[in-house]
Each structure stands twice: as C-alpha cells, then as structure tokens.
Amino acid sequence: MKNRVRLIVSGLLLCSGAAFAAAPGTLTEAELRIGTTQEFENLNPLVSNMSATSYILGAVNRTGLVILDDKNRWVAQAAERVPSLENGDAVFFQDASKKKLKVTWRIRKDAVWADGKPIVASDYELAWKVGLADTVSVPNREPYQNVERFDIDAKNPKVFTVTFTEPKFTFARGLWSALPSHVEGKVFKEWGDKPQGYDRNTSYARTATTPALYSGPYRLSAIKLGSHVELVRNEKWWGKAAAFKKIVVRVIPNSGTLESNLVSGEIDVVNGIGMSLDQALAFETRVKSEKLPFQVVYGDGLTYEHIDLDLENPLLKDVRVRQALLHAIDREALVKALFAGKQRVAHHFLHFTDPWFTDAPADVTKYEFSPRKARKLLAEAGFKAGPAGVLEKDGKPLRFPFMTTAGNKVRENVQAFVKESLKQVGVDAEIRNEPAKVFFGETTTKRKFGGMAMYAWVSSPELTPRQTLHSSSIPTAENGWAGTNTMAWRNAAADAAIDGLEQEFSLAERKKKAAVVVREYTRELPVLPLFYRATIVVSAASLEGMTPTPHTFAETYHIERWRPAVGARSGK
C-alpha cells in the first residue's frame, strides 16, 4: 500500500508540481525519476543531433549493430558478431581498376522491435535511403554516401552486405541505426521527396509512443513537451531485463532547481547533462557535511578542453611564443584548484583511453610549468620589457584577444587563471567573451578570434582528426567556412599521416601515423592543451550499476544494469 501511495504522489508531482515527494534516496523497482536540464528534439535516431536525445535513445534504441564497451572496444549489439577481415565477414575485391570492400552483417536472431516484429535487413536499408536523401536533415551524410551497394540475402532477411565506395578501417564500427520499415517506410515514401517533409512527419515526431519505433530495454509511453517523458519496460527486449518498470525523465532547466528536486526526493538521478563539475563538487561537499543519501560518481570523459591559437596573428606565428604560453600555465595547479583534481591534464588531443594514444618522449613534446623557460623563449623571439609589465617587440606589445563563451562560469574561471599566468611572464591576454551562439556560430567558424579561443572538442576512439587538424579543413570564405581547423594550421607531415589513417587497416600502422600527427602537434603547438573534462552522474546512494561511460555513448546505453541496492527492491 505504501508503494502505491508513493506512485500516486509521484504522478501528482508530474501533473501539478505539488510539493509532496518520496523520502530522498528512496528507490523501488516501480519507478526511477531522472532530472535533466535539456529537452530532446526528435527521437528519430537518424536526424537527432543533441546529447539530450542520445540520452533517451540509449534506453529505447539498440539497433546500432555494434557499440563501445566499458574499455572502449567495439563489440556486437544488434549484430551477431563484429565483421573483420580475419573472420571472413569483410573481404576486399577488385572492381575494374579499383580495390573495394564488401562487408556482411548478420542481425541477431532474437532482435525485435517493441511490437514483436523482427528487426531485419530492410530496416537498415530504409535508413540508408533516408540518410542519402538530401531532403532529410541528417547530421552527417558521408557514412550513407560511402556505401555503394546494399544487398539483402535472398534466403535470410536478417543478413545483408554493404559495398563501400572507399574502403576505410572504420568499416566495422557499424553503419547507422535501423528504422522500422513496416512503420516508417510509408512515411518516407510519402514525404521523403519534400524538403524536411520526412523530418516533420516521421512517426517519431507525430506518433512518438508507437511501440514499433523502439528496440531497447524501454519504450516511450508518454510525452509532455517542456515537462517530461515516460518510459516503460519493453517486454519484447531481447537483452537483460531492466529492473525498473518505469523511468520518468523530467526537464528542469535550472541547475539549482534540479539540485533542490534531488534533495527533496522529487527525482532520484541527475544525468550527465544536468550538473557541471563545479556544481557536482559543491554538491558532493554538501552530501558529506549533511550526510545526504546521494552519490556523486566521476568518470574519464572524452571532452578535450583547449585553447586554439590564431596562427595568422603575427605575434603567434613564432612557435617560440606559442611554446612560452604553455610553459607559463601551471595546468596541474589549475585542475587541483578549480576541479579538486578530478580532471586530467592533457598534453595533446588524443585521450589516454584511445588505442592511438602515445606518451612516448619521441612522440610527445611536453611543456612543464616553467615561467623561467617561458621568459627565455620570449626573449629569444625578440621581446623585451615594456611599460606596465607587458613585453614588446619593435614597439608593439605582446597583447592579443582571449575569448571563450560568455556566461560559462567554469570556463571564465579557467580563463582568469590562464590570464593571470600569462601576465606573470609579460603577456597581456585581453578577455573578450561572447555568447555561445556568436562565439561558435560566427567568431570561431570564420576565424575572427584573433588570438586565443578556448572551448572543447569531443572525440571518440580512433577518430581521424581530419576535420580539426588537416589543412584542407581550414575554414575560408571560398569553402563556405567548412571545417574546424580554426587555427589555420598547415603541416605537411601531419596532413600526410591523416590522409593515410582512414585507409590503413593495420592498428599498428595506424598508431604510427597517429604518432606523427601527435609529434607535429606538440612540437608546433597550434593549440594549447589544457585538460580532459570528467563526466559526472549524481544519484540516490541506493542506485547500483549506473556509472559514467568512457566514450560518447550516454550512460543509458547500459540502463539495464541499473538496479536498487539489495534491500531496497520492494514495490515490484
């Protein structure tokens, strides 16, 4: 009876915002309530492009053929196994004068949609056709365009082969999520030739609670825009059964209100989008001092915080100046002072969990904190003491803009630390921050920052850095400002190594090529590496199995592991 009352009260809270809630930290298998600051945009896995959407999809969509595990290894998900050259599922063949690659995928026999219909090859074929349509707003069309042929086995609807136009080592990283052809096929047929017609009329937008759209441990059962979504256990799910009968994800845009809801017992979890690191650290201190029944779990994230340098600024063209800047910043002290040591100092763009990662002295030039070395390098570059402690050369002060996203408290604190560090060696970094929309939409995209621009890249294991480091990815007016090499870095050795990475099928050889890029990157310093951000999840202390992931997939991709602690599993 007590659990029934708790559920009724929870329902009242969702509907009316009443001030009654369960005791903080109380968990049963009846329901788990999650708070987040962002609302998803569209649960169609092909057109979605937000972290908030990926978080929901982790619970309801498991048609990705492969997925990264806890050790950043690609393992089968909807596929029976991962294709490889060794197991014969991937084969090279000669087509006229061109070498091509054909890959066979086998879908799990027990993989079904939430309406019980089998997940079959035609579901992936439909997704391929949708991804190719220039009327559909997919975030990246290249994966679809690189498939030349899609052939379904005439004897087995769960087996298909794809022939790639350009063979790449990433062939076994999966293709794309499937779309239920028995539902979405007719929608695409009617709307696929109209600009954004399919985007607006997909069943994921119009009839989002249709069971056939989902394939994970949960399926969407209710949605109220601006308020919450409800997920219920998918009885047709082929994997490990989820513990919680129901998941409610509430949208609470204000992080302070989010914390209040957690402490009062109105939600049980704050997801990885909900709290920044400084907020999590402050909350952890509160948990300990007030003995609150919550836990804060930190993980190693793939988000790389760094400072781009404008290499077309005459002051920054000299590599000695760039090296001096990094020597002047005590990054170890920075992460300890601002992040309680929860974030790791970065020495280059590759994450330490990446198979390509290298820390070898022959590959990596490291810049320890040394104001003495910084001053020496600046003197060698011709800079001398000037007025107000700012160095100058030929009468021009060593001064340039230092920009980041205005209003981001964490970044502004880091920026203040860096500015003061540079000031100690005679460099004047002038803070000129802008709203994120302007900073990313105009200033960095069109390389208008003029000096230093601080922001982050999000990587994934073995991600070829073509978009960020290749000279062909320098944004210009001529190429429509495409690419994210905002530093305008040009390095022939790095370009050649990047060009060879995608077509290299030997991991050992890929590591050698990646090491060349790292060597040139750390030697020339087009970017000042700062740190890797930690990932964070906050929950009731009695929730087991929820941990941050070491990759770009949200923690909900192992939601079936989440369970109330032993002794707290009443309310079934």
Side-chain angles (χ1 to χ4, degrees):
M1 183 66 179
K2 180 186 287 186
N3 291 313
R4 184 180 175 190
V5 171
R6 179 185 179 278
L7 287 172
I8 293 171
V9 171
S10 296
L12 288 172
L13 283 166
L14 286 171
C15 297
S16 63
F20 303 101
T26 302
L27 283 183
T28 75
E29 292 182 349
E31 180 179 283
L32 183 71
R33 301 155 302 165
I34 302 172
T36 183
T37 55
Q38 295 180 20
E39 186 170 24
F40 69 88
E41 85 276 43
N42 188 327
L43 285 177
N44 185 310
L46 266 63
V47 302
S48 60
N49 195 32
M50 288 179 63
S51 297
T53 306
S54 179
Y55 187 83
I56 304 293
L57 287 175
V60 302
N61 175 40
R62 296 296 177 83
T63 61
L65 292 162
V66 296
I67 193 170
L68 286 167
D69 68 7
D70 293 340
K71 295 184 178 179
N72 277 339
R73 298 172 303 194
W74 289 99
V75 296
Q77 183 176 243
E80 287 187 352
R81 66 181 185 180
V82 180
S84 69
L85 295 168
E86 291 73 21
N87 66 23
D89 286 345
V91 293
F92 287 108
F93 68 97
Q94 200 72 22
D95 183 11
S97 60
K98 192 170 184 180
K99 185 179 182 182
K100 294 186 178 180
L101 179 68
K102 180 183 290 186
V103 179
T104 298
W105 288 97
R106 296 173 172 84
I107 306 165
R108 287 177 57 138
K109 294 180 177 63
D110 55 356
V112 298
W113 298 101
D115 65 350
K117 296 284 187 181
I119 296 172
V120 292
S122 59
D123 299 327
Y124 291 91
E125 183 182 37
L126 172 63
W128 175 54
K129 292 176 179 177
V130 171
L132 284 174
D134 57 12
T135 57
V136 181
S137 303
V138 294
N140 181 10
R141 214 173 302 281
E142 192 274 337
Y144 310 98
Q145 293 172 333
N146 195 39
V147 170
E148 182 179 288
R149 287 178 57 91
F150 190 109
D151 297 296
I152 299 174
D153 190 312
K155 297 180 180 179
N156 190 339
K158 279 184 172 281
V159 177
F160 64 94
T161 60
V162 292
T163 302
F164 290 99
T165 304
E166 293 290 339
K168 296 181 180 180
F169 77 89
T170 52
F171 71 88
R173 304 296 159 83
L175 298 171
W176 41 76
S177 290
L179 295 173
S181 54
H182 61 292
V183 174
E184 287 292 276
K186 56 188 176 185
V187 179
F188 182 63
K189 183 177 181 180
E190 180 178 358
W191 296 99
D193 60 347
K194 301 171 180 63
Q196 294 192 315
Y198 176 72
D199 300 46
R200 291 190 292 265
N201 291 280
T202 171
S203 304
Y204 291 93
R206 289 192 168 268
T207 54
T209 58
T210 303
L213 301 174
Y214 306 107
S215 57
Y218 290 90
R219 61 178 176 83
L220 192 73
S221 60
I223 178 172
K224 184 176 180 181
L225 294 177
S227 173
H228 68 280
V229 297
E230 294 181 8
L231 312 176
V232 295
R233 201 153 53 195
N234 175 12
E235 301 301 334
K236 302 295 185 181
W237 161 240
W238 65 83
K240 179 179 180 180
F244 295 99
K245 289 185 177 180
K246 181 179 175 182
I247 304 279
V248 178
V249 182
R250 295 180 57 190
V251 180
I252 305 171
N254 183 280
S255 57
T257 306
L258 196 67
E259 181 177 324
S260 298
N261 275 258
L262 183 66
V263 173
S264 67
E266 293 180 11
I267 58 175
D268 308 304
V269 176
V270 173
N271 72 359
I273 305 170
M275 275 194 186
S276 61
L277 181 60
D278 61 328
Q279 292 167 333
L281 290 169
F283 182 67
E284 186 177 35
T285 300
R286 183 182 177 189
V287 166
K288 292 176 180 177
S289 64
E290 299 179 24
K291 295 182 171 56
L292 298 175
F294 300 103
Q295 58 186 340
V296 181
V297 183
Y298 302 92
D300 292 317
L302 297 176
T303 303
Y304 168 51
E305 195 77 18
H306 64 283
I307 300 173
D308 280 1
L309 302 177
D310 181 0
L311 303 187
E312 294 184 346
N313 181 323
L315 295 172
L316 294 169
K317 281 184 178 292
D318 192 322
V319 68
R320 293 170 295 186
V321 174
R322 304 196 296 271
Q323 293 169 340
L325 297 180
L326 197 52
H327 273 306
I329 305 168
D330 190 345
R331 291 171 289 167
E332 292 288 353
L334 187 157
V335 298
K336 287 178 182 177
L338 300 182
F339 308 117
K342 300 291 187 184
Q343 306 200 125
R344 300 202 196 191
V345 169
H347 295 287
H348 54 77
F349 62 93
L350 287 177
H351 195 268
F352 49 85
T353 63
D354 196 309
W356 294 351
F357 178 79
T358 177
D359 202 34
D363 301 329
V364 183
T365 304
K366 291 186 177 180
Y367 298 84
E368 77 279 12
F369 173 57
S370 176
R372 180 186 62 80
K373 286 186 178 180
R375 295 186 186 98
K376 183 174 181 292
L377 284 165
L378 292 172
E380 290 174 0
F383 289 92
K384 299 179 180 180
V390 179
L391 297 175
E392 61 178 29
K393 180 180 179 180
D394 300 328
K396 296 180 180 179
L398 186 49
R399 177 182 295 125
F400 39 73
F402 185 9
M403 306 182 74
T404 191
T405 48
N408 185 317
K409 181 182 175 183
V410 175
R411 280 213 175 109
E412 289 177 343
N413 287 340
V414 173
Q415 185 183 43
F417 185 102
V418 172
K419 176 180 172 63
E420 182 60 28
S421 299
L422 299 183
K423 180 180 178 182
Q424 299 305 311
V425 298
V427 179
D428 184 17
E430 295 185 316
I431 293 178
R432 300 182 191 174
N433 295 342
E434 295 178 335
K437 184 176 181 180
V438 179
F439 182 67
F440 293 119
E442 183 74 15
T443 302
T444 54
T445 300
K446 297 184 178 180
R447 298 190 290 108
K448 293 180 178 180
F449 57 95
M452 301 165 65
M454 183 170 66
Y455 60 104
W457 293 334
V458 181
S459 64
S460 60
E462 291 198 86
L463 179 67
T464 304
R466 177 174 298 279
Q467 283 293 96
T468 52
L469 299 179
H470 198 280
S471 62
S472 65
S473 296
I474 298 172
T476 64
E478 290 72 27
N479 67 15
W481 305 107
T484 51
N485 181 350
T486 57
M487 308 81 64
W489 187 44
R490 295 173 174 85
N491 182 292
D495 280 358
I498 292 170
D499 287 338
L501 272 170
E502 291 176 337
Q503 280 74 44
E504 180 53 68
F505 285 76
S506 163
L507 175 58
E509 292 303 313
R510 290 199 299 274
K511 290 177 73 170
K512 290 178 183 178
K513 287 179 169 58
V516 171
V517 184
V518 169
R519 185 188 68 218
E520 297 302 309
Y521 183 89
T522 58
R523 182 175 63 84
E524 293 200 351
L525 279 186
V527 170
L528 303 183
L530 293 178
F531 51 82
Y532 282 98
R533 287 194 213 154
T535 54
I536 308 144
V537 290
V538 182
S539 74
S542 57
L543 179 63
E544 295 180 343
M546 186 181 71
T547 56
T549 60
H551 44 66
T552 52
F553 292 100
E555 60 265 26
T556 47
Y557 279 86
H558 56 67
I559 199 168
E560 60 269 34
R561 301 181 197 168
W562 302 5
R563 276 162 168 67
V566 175
R569 296 182 182 176
S570 58
K572 294 184 180 180

